[in-house]
Amino acid sequence: MRTRVKTTGLAPLTEGRRRGRPRSAAAREAILRAARDMLADVGPSSVTVEGIATRAGVGKPTIYRWWSDRHAVVMAALMDVEADAPARAGRSPLTQLRQQLHAIAERFATPTGRHVTAMLAAADPNSELSKAFRNHFVMARRAEGAAFLRAAIQSGELGRLDIDVALDLLFGAVFFRLLMGHAPLDSKFIDNMFELALCGVRRGTSQQRNTKARRR
Amino acid sequence: MRTRVKTTGLAPLTEGRRRGRPRSAAAREAILRAARDMLADVGPSSVTVEGIATRAGVGKPTIYRWWSDRHAVVMAALMDVEADAPARAGRSPLTQLRQQLHAIAERFATPTGRHVTAMLAAADPNSELSKAFRNHFVMARRAEGAAFLRAAIQSGELGRLDIDVALDLLFGAVFFRLLMGHAPLDSKFIDNMFELALCGVRRGTSQQRNTKARRR
Amino acid sequence: MRTRVKTTGLAPLTEGRRRGRPRSAAAREAILRAARDMLADVGPSSVTVEGIATRAGVGKPTIYRWWSDRHAVVMAALMDVEADAPARAGRSPLTQLRQQLHAIAERFATPTGRHVTAMLAAADPNSELSKAFRNHFVMARRAEGAAFLRAAIQSGELGRLDIDVALDLLFGAVFFRLLMGHAPLDSKFIDNMFELALCGVRRGTSQQRNTKARRR
Amino acid sequence: MRTRVKTTGLAPLTEGRRRGRPRSAAAREAILRAARDMLADVGPSSVTVEGIATRAGVGKPTIYRWWSDRHAVVMAALMDVEADAPARAGRSPLTQLRQQLHAIAERFATPTGRHVTAMLAAADPNSELSKAFRNHFVMARRAEGAAFLRAAIQSGELGRLDIDVALDLLFGAVFFRLLMGHAPLDSKFIDNMFELALCGVRRGTSQQRNTKARRR
DNA sequence: AGGTAAACGAGACGGTACGTCGCGTCTTTCA
DNA sequence: TGAAAGACGCGACGTACCGTCTCGTTTACCT
């Protein structure tokens, strides 16, 4: 039989040592590297399977052995950006959360970041891959953010609030600027936005300071 | 010379009566109608120029006379969705703003709405058409929202705040759920999100009342 | 009614003075001139109606007012090559015939001549226009040749022979070399061919004399 | 690299076993068969690549892998008519030559024969393909005829003559009637033409007999 | 001298076919 | 037996011309 499991480029061919020549991990890496390079040049919708194959010095069928279709390869290539988020050692949970938002903004403000955003929006929202993609890029961060928020509530920095709603406010604002591009996604915006979103449930005196700082 | 101005389907060939046979507005309409119909069926990336031409009873070159490529036609078709604006006759500016957010959520929750969102994110962010597209769909609403916010501040319903930041919080949260799909974009969410975003700058006691009133 | 007589570019719009603006003979000439120029550049199959119209500074419909389709215009343009027939003032009818063959060879050896030959062969053999074309170019010459042959028989230069057959031999040989291009269509060939074709029915001793005389 | 050798449908992809999937000879045959069928229906200028592809159950690009453009495919299809030349077992070389001319006339008098003639004349006379085409169809026969003529001279049936000139007379006459269509290309014409062309260099008594037979 | 009807240039129209590109599959040979 | 090479069927792309159809303008004739 010819059919073979597609690993979607995520799982590392476990399943207990097959017979015959093993799949070339080198080929897989070359493919991803080529795809990443091309993405940087031309954007996701202009990356072609044939282009990747040529650039990676690989046959097209080898690509299709690992991924089910063009979309999947491109997504995999985008997922492969370095794992970032080097464990911000901040003071308070709230400060850590704010720093995280800054980091995200920086990360996605690059051309590649734009491509990721584009793929996020363009893909069939119901596909398994698309979900994995969203999960990998956004929801994982959002989960981090949730931890910070919970910690802040625990520590008394914040009053009671719906964590999901708060996260969507914060992350939404960031990605909205990213997608629309109507105004710069700079650190000032993040601070202001952060402040406004949470000022109603803030405890302590940092509130006033920040509110002043925000004034233009 | 052969080259001719593409009007990007927006401008109506003004510039003072050209020579030769005028372009057929009927053909243009038929094209857009056909494109819109196909969009509803299959999604933006599966709409083909040949399909549109056939369905509209139009030659392919006529399509390319009006728009420069496939992308442009599809965008134009999506822009053509009825201008809605149901003239929310709300009480206070803040209520009106909240109702607007509900309306947007409803609108974009449809398949066509998803398509619009996909195109918004997928298109080359620097292209003229893409900007027009974003402007037409999102920024126009955002501008409406800005008016409500200003009115609310004027009327004393809200304290001082940075309007741009507030808008990106509100709209960002809506589109974030739309894109990520990690949680439902229901009216409860919108109320809660609205509440949290503005609770820090709210005046009076309307807070509790609104939250209850919105329950269905 | 809109329909109008196509004159096939031959008849000069007689039929008793129509009303309205008369057709512009200048436009007609410009069209033919443009077509002829383009023929010389690129060959019959690459001459386009749009090209002619542009080059002649004329609208396409004006072309179609005079001729029914592309083919007809091109043919008309080819027909328009000057009527030549330099009135060979030869001695004997046979010499005149031979000189005629030389003249034809010279005429058709040009690029335009090749184009004429191509059209001769390529056109639908049953169309009216195609017949007129063949008639104009080849059969008219052949008729001239027939006269020479008849005169030669009358004068006793030639014995009895089937004139049609003899003409097809002579003209066929010329056009065969023209089309096939396997060997040069030079004057030596024509002399030799002429000699061989008729040597069986020749009277007198003119045979040797002619062969020598023709040497260059 | 993407570019690939076009074999012009003549050479059989030899050159020492290429890598990758070999070109499908079956597809090539199907293409030619489809093209030949369509030629019989509609004539060379109405045969379309898309039509061939559909009829042959083949993708358009496959056609362009074998031939460079429409023209080349049609020519190849015409070349593919069965190799004929049923080895005329005649008596004398001269009789064999005459029979050959009859055979040619018969062959080219069919619609397909007309198409061949049309292509012969219409194609760019300098292209490689065009030369091959002429060679295949006409010059190969002419070479056969040359052999007959040489044999006839050797055997004393004919006196000395320029073989090239004689061949162009004979073949020219046949193709002239074919192209011009001013008179039927029947067997009587061929006999008469044959007689007249060679009567001057004929030996023996067959001359008179034939000459009488020719009279109408 | 003015009307008026046809021809004019320009160029958009519905079509058809072109030749190309990319998809995802298949069939070879090579390592 | 996996991988490179690359041909395959498919189908859409964007372009070139075809021959027809408006447009607004020009030009000669005919009151």
Side-chain angles (χ1 to χ4, degrees), chain B:
Chain B
M1 208 199 299
R2 296 256 92 213
T3 48
R4 197 114 216 81
V5 172
K6 306 279 161 112
T7 62
T8 69
L10 296 171
L13 10 35
T14 38
E15 58 180 282
R17 229 63 198 83
R18 309 190 116 301
R19 308 240 312 195
R21 176 176 177 173
R23 293 198 193 164
S24 158
R28 187 174 175 281
E29 287 311 314
I31 292 165
L32 288 174
R33 199 176 320 116
R36 238 177 300 128
D37 292 354
M38 301 186 73
L39 271 169
D41 293 354
V42 291
S45 68
S46 301
V47 172
T48 69
V49 176
E50 308 208 322
I52 295 172
T54 302
R55 188 148 177 170
V58 142
K60 244 197 308 178
T62 297
I63 296 180
Y64 286 102
R65 253 187 286 275
W66 285 96
W67 297 276
S68 64
D69 59 4
R70 197 186 76 92
H71 226 82
V73 199
V74 175
M75 281 206 171
L78 284 172
M79 311 258 290
D80 234 40
V81 293
E82 80 294 358
D84 85 315
R88 282 159 296 276
R91 267 85 54 95
S92 73
L94 227 45
T95 305
Q96 283 179 305
L97 175 58
R98 198 156 45 79
Q99 285 176 351
Q100 187 207 15
L101 290 172
H102 282 290
I104 290 174
E106 252 168 58
R107 181 83 117 63
F108 281 88
T110 63
T112 306
R114 269 288 321 173
H115 298 155
V116 170
T117 328
M119 293 295 284
L120 276 172
D124 169 14
N126 301 319
S127 81
E128 215 50 44
L129 197 60
S130 177
K131 281 176 195 159
F133 194 66
R134 276 201 299 273
N135 216 66
H136 181 75
F137 272 104
V138 185
M139 301 318 281
R141 257 49 147 213
R142 194 174 170 284
E144 279 176 44
F148 293 137
L149 271 185
R150 260 189 297 274
I153 294 172
Q154 204 107 42
S155 75
E157 258 190 306
L158 284 185
R160 257 135 98 71
L161 49 71
D162 187 325
I163 290 181
D164 281 335
V165 169
L167 288 170
D168 289 351
L169 271 181
L170 298 172
F171 281 76
V174 169
F175 281 98
F176 189 68
R177 286 235 165 165
L178 212 48
L179 280 175
M180 294 301 125
H182 58 287
L185 179 59
D186 52 20
S187 54
K188 189 165 181 185
F189 166 74
I190 291 181
D191 286 334
N192 291 346
M193 173 273 289
F194 189 79
E195 197 53 43
L196 177 57
L198 302 180
C199 67
V201 289
R202 205 61 157 297
R203 303 266 195 262
T205 55
S206 58
Q207 193 167 338
Q208 279 75 22
R209 266 189 284 118
N210 272 313
T211 308
K212 281 177 196 155
R214 188 63 212 175
R215 195 149 307 154
R216 300 191 175 185

Side-chain angles (χ1 to χ4, degrees), chain C residues 125, chain D residues 104-105 108-109 113-114 117 173-181 183 185:
Chain D
I104 289 173
F108 280 88
R114 271 288 322 173
T117 330
V174 169
F175 282 97
F176 190 68
R177 286 237 164 165
L178 212 49
L179 281 174
M180 294 301 125
L185 178 60

Side-chain angles (χ1 to χ4, degrees), chain A residues 68-86:
Chain A
S68 65
D69 60 5
R70 196 185 79 92
H71 228 83
V73 199
V74 175
M75 283 204 169
L78 284 171
M79 311 259 287
D80 232 40
V81 292
E82 80 294 355
D84 87 312

Side-chain angles (χ1 to χ4, degrees), chain C residues 88 90-104 141-150 152 157-158 161 163 166-167 170-171 174 190 193-194 198:
Chain C
R88 282 157 297 276
R91 269 82 57 95
S92 74
L94 228 43
T95 305
Q96 284 179 303
L97 176 58
R98 198 156 43 80
Q99 285 176 351
Q100 188 208 15
L101 292 172
H102 282 290
I104 290 174
R141 258 51 151 208
R142 194 173 170 284
E144 277 175 45
F148 291 138
L149 269 184
R150 260 190 297 274
E157 255 190 309
L158 285 183
L161 51 68
I163 290 182
L167 287 170
L170 297 172
F171 281 76
V174 168
I190 291 182
M193 174 274 288
F194 190 79
L198 301 181

Side-chain angles (χ1 to χ4, degrees), chain D residues 45-74:
Chain D
S45 68
S46 301
V47 171
T48 69
V49 175
E50 308 208 321
I52 295 172
T54 302
R55 187 147 177 170
V58 143
K60 249 199 303 179
T62 298
I63 296 179
Y64 287 102
R65 251 187 287 275
W66 286 96
W67 297 277
S68 64
D69 60 5
R70 197 187 77 92
H71 227 82
V73 199
V74 175

Side-chain angles (χ1 to χ4, degrees), chain D residues 91-96 147-159 201-204:
Chain D
R91 268 83 56 94
S92 74
L94 228 45
T95 306
Q96 284 180 305
F148 293 138
L149 271 184
R150 259 190 297 274
I153 294 172
Q154 203 107 41
S155 76
E157 259 191 304
L158 286 184
V201 289
R202 204 60 157 298
R203 303 266 195 262

Side-chain angles (χ1 to χ4, degrees), chain C residues 22-96:
Chain C
R23 292 195 197 165
S24 157
R28 187 175 175 279
E29 288 310 314
I31 291 165
L32 289 174
R33 199 175 321 116
R36 240 178 296 126
D37 292 354
M38 300 187 73
L39 271 168
D41 293 353
V42 292
S45 68
S46 302
V47 172
T48 68
V49 175
E50 310 211 321
I52 294 172
T54 303
R55 188 149 177 167
V58 141
K60 263 200 297 177
T62 301
I63 295 180
Y64 287 102
R65 249 187 289 276
W66 287 96
W67 296 277
S68 64
D69 59 5
R70 196 186 77 93
H71 228 82
V73 199
V74 175
M75 284 205 167
L78 284 171
M79 311 260 286
D80 231 40
V81 292
E82 79 297 358
D84 87 315
R88 282 157 297 276
R91 269 82 57 95
S92 74
L94 228 43
T95 305
Q96 284 179 303

